[in-house]
């Protein structure tokens, strides 16, 4: 097993299908990754298995109680004391390709998913090593965020994407968006594939793709372009793009 994820959640069923299908499903089957869910409710001690309570000081919504989460974490940690605990929250560090790559070098991550207004602050103070956000929007719970993190991190585990494909070949490796892709048919209802792609001229194809990647990035994500490592040739291509009518 190359990497383990233990997910602490009130909704373990949410994780079954997304992590069983396709590439992640294969990775689990091939034991490149292991994903376990732990139901926080199983760590309550009261008859009604209460996991939330009203906030001190008043206000709307409910807060997840510290004791069930503490017991759930301690139970996982007792088997794996060095595992890092991540809490998914909009207040966390933004998830990026770099952060995903760094997390993929960890042998064991514990992902804590909050519901309602989130967890009692003492959970973070006492247990959480790192808070991570998947973006500036509000979800109904941390479960989908945890799945996004597992997906992005797993792509960096050797073998997950298949033998000779690496996560580094994809978008963001060099801070450029991907060029447009086409497959058959050549003509779909009058909309045709760019001629260069069927020319058989490999250097012309490479040049076209690079140009399209640069054009898209400068148009849609100038913030990324500023971080890209551009060659002299790239700079020349960009100059050309900016001065031509296809900068739209
Ligand atoms: N939530 N990135 C509120 C998120 C979120 C995000 C998770 C909603 C935590 C309490 N998590 N709960 N964005 O919106 O990670």
């Amino acid at each position: 097993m190359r990497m383990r994820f233990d997910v602490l959640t009130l909704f373990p069923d949410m994780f079954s299908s997304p992590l069983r299908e396709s590439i992640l499903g294969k990775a689990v089957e091939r034991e490149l990754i292991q994903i376990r869910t732990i139901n926080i409710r199983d760590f309550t001690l009261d008859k009604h298995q209460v996991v939330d309570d009203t906030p001190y000081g008043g206000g709307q919504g409910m807060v997840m109680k510290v004791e069930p989460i503490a017991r759930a974490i301690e139970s996982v940690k007792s088997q794996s004391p060095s595992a890092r605990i991540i809490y998914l929250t909009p207040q966390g560090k933004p998830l990026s390709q770099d952060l995903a790559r760094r997390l993929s070098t960890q042998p064991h991550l514990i992902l804590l998913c909050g519901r309602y207004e989130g967890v009692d602050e003492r959970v973070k103070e006492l247990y959480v090593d790192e808070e991570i956000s998947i973006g500036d929007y509000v979800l109904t719970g941390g479960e989908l965020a945890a799945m996004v993190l597992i997906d992005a991190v797993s792509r960096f585990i050797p073998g997950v994407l298949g033998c000779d494909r690496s996560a580094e070949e994809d978008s963001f490796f060099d801070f450029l968006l991907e060029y447009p892709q086409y497959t058959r048919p050549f003509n779909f209802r009058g909309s045709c594939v760019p001629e260069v792609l069927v020319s058989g001229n490999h250097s012309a194809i490479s040049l076209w793709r690079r140009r399209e990647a640069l054009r898209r990035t400068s148009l849609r994500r100038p913030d990324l372009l500023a971080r890209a490592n551009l060659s002299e040739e790239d700079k020349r291509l960009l100059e050309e793009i900016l001065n031509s009518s296809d900068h739209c």
Side-chain angles (χ1 to χ4, degrees):
M1 189 61 53
R2 289 199 217 259
M3 186 161 182
R4 266 177 72 185
F5 300 92
D6 281 326
V7 185
L8 276 54
T9 172
L10 290 172
F11 299 97
D13 291 349
M14 285 182 72
F15 290 82
S16 41
S17 156
L19 304 175
R20 239 191 356 244
E21 302 282 351
S22 189
I23 292 171
L24 286 195
K26 283 253 164 41
V28 170
E29 237 171 69
R30 293 167 57 212
E31 299 189 329
L32 298 172
I33 55 174
Q34 180 185 68
I35 304 158
R36 289 198 317 173
T37 53
I38 290 116
N39 193 334
I40 296 165
R41 204 175 292 281
D42 292 344
F43 292 86
T44 53
L45 298 175
D46 60 309
K47 178 157 164 265
H48 293 105
Q49 301 197 293
V50 175
V51 292
D52 60 338
D53 204 343
T54 53
Y56 271 114
Q60 52 148 21
M62 300 292 269
V63 175
M64 284 175 75
K65 292 167 68 61
V66 62
E67 302 103 309
I69 296 174
R71 277 194 289 271
I73 289 175
E74 281 157 9
S75 121
V76 179
K77 273 246 176 177
S78 66
Q79 301 144 36
S80 193
S82 65
R84 280 183 75 75
I85 305 189
I86 292 171
Y87 178 56
L88 286 310
T89 168
Q91 298 174 44
K93 179 174 182 176
L95 182 61
S96 63
Q97 191 73 341
D98 270 343
L99 181 49
R101 184 188 301 107
R102 173 167 74 67
L103 292 173
S104 75
T105 66
Q106 297 281 327
H108 187 185
L109 296 179
I110 299 172
L111 306 178
L112 175 60
C113 304
R115 282 270 149 178
Y116 323 112
E117 306 308 309
V119 299
D120 187 303
E121 191 64 22
R122 290 164 293 187
V123 171
K124 306 182 202 169
E125 185 191 314
L126 297 172
Y127 297 103
V128 171
D129 296 303
E130 194 161 5
E131 296 181 42
I132 294 178
S133 166
I134 64 157
D136 293 338
Y137 38 78
V138 184
L139 303 169
T140 57
E143 284 78 8
L144 287 168
M147 286 187 245
V148 166
L149 185 147
I150 291 170
D151 191 292
V153 169
S154 297
R155 296 178 74 261
F156 284 103
I157 309 288
V160 166
L161 292 182
C163 311
D164 39 46
R165 236 174 89 69
S166 102
E168 303 291 6
E169 284 166 27
D170 288 294
S171 233
F172 287 110
F173 168 50
D174 51 4
F175 297 105
L176 287 183
L177 300 180
E178 304 252 278
Y179 51 76
Q181 300 273 16
Y182 297 87
T183 188
R184 281 177 285 194
F186 178 77
N187 181 339
F188 177 69
R189 299 176 188 173
S191 178
C192 289
V193 174
E195 281 293 344
V196 64
L197 298 179
V198 295
S199 68
N201 183 341
H202 296 294
S203 67
I205 291 170
S206 294
L207 191 66
W208 181 86
R209 285 179 166 169
R210 190 70 183 173
R211 199 171 190 283
E212 287 303 306
L214 290 164
R215 186 164 74 82
R216 282 197 162 179
T217 314
S218 90
L219 214 55
R220 298 181 189 185
R221 295 293 305 274
D223 58 313
L224 285 183
L225 195 61
R227 300 166 68 185
N229 228 326
L230 300 178
S231 67
E232 289 309 311
E233 166 83 341
D234 289 332
K235 288 176 191 158
R236 196 186 58 72
L237 282 170
L238 261 177
E239 198 64 36
E240 226 176 82
I241 292 160
L242 292 168
N243 292 329
S244 78
S245 55
D246 40 308
H247 191 61
C248 58

